[in-house]
Amino acid sequence: MTAIGNSDTHSVRQTPGYPRNYLPTSADQPHLITKAEVVDAVRSGNVIMGGAALLTLGDGVDPGDDVRVMGSELVIPIKVETPSFTRIHRIIGVGNGQIVLDQSVTATLESLVDFEGNVTIPVDE
């Protein structure tokens, strides 16, 4: 199952509402995204739902991918981007229903990249 968001948009001339769905694509313009890319992303779980902040993972990992952890920590390279009218304050990671990462972020409102770096999550099983 893949979670997706829904917005309350009433016409093609109205700016879409929130939340929005983000998915990987080879297109460099929104109108070039194919139906097949959307279907493949939803079927594989490679969709992020959000309301302004876009989180991407490094090392070729997409949302919904399985990762193999060796040792007691998972180091994840992430990038968080926001439009100029908002910013993030924290990065929170949840594992097995528990908060496993709670990191403050200091970014200016003008920053388009609010955070770029590694986060470390302890893994005990």
Side-chain angles (χ1 to χ4, degrees):
M1 296 178 77
T2 301
I4 58 172
N6 187 19
S7 68
D8 189 19
T9 304
H10 297 277
S11 75
V12 295
R13 290 181 179 79
Q14 181 182 6
T15 302
Y18 291 102
R20 295 183 181 166
N21 299 291
Y22 302 98
L23 55 107
T25 178
S26 59
D28 60 358
Q29 296 291 321
H31 68 280
L32 299 175
I33 298 171
T34 66
K35 291 177 186 177
E37 284 181 305
V38 174
V39 170
D40 289 345
V42 172
R43 284 188 175 153
S44 65
N46 288 340
V47 178
I48 296 174
M49 179 180 21
L54 173 62
L55 175 115
T56 52
L57 306 172
D59 294 338
V61 177
D62 288 319
D65 285 353
D66 291 329
V67 294
R68 197 172 290 278
V69 179
M70 302 297 189
S72 61
E73 295 181 330
L74 175 60
V75 178
I76 306 170
I78 66 170
K79 182 177 182 181
V80 182
E81 300 170 89
T82 59
S84 60
F85 59 81
T86 190
R87 63 189 170 112
I88 65 164
H89 300 279
R90 294 166 63 193
I91 297 171
I92 300 171
V94 178
N96 296 326
Q98 302 295 315
I99 293 177
V100 295
L101 171 73
D102 190 348
Q103 180 172 325
S104 294
V105 175
T106 304
T108 65
L109 192 59
E110 297 79 22
S111 299
L112 297 180
V113 176
D114 288 17
F115 180 86
E116 186 168 19
N118 292 332
V119 295
T120 302
I121 296 177
V123 177
D124 59 3
E125 57 180 84

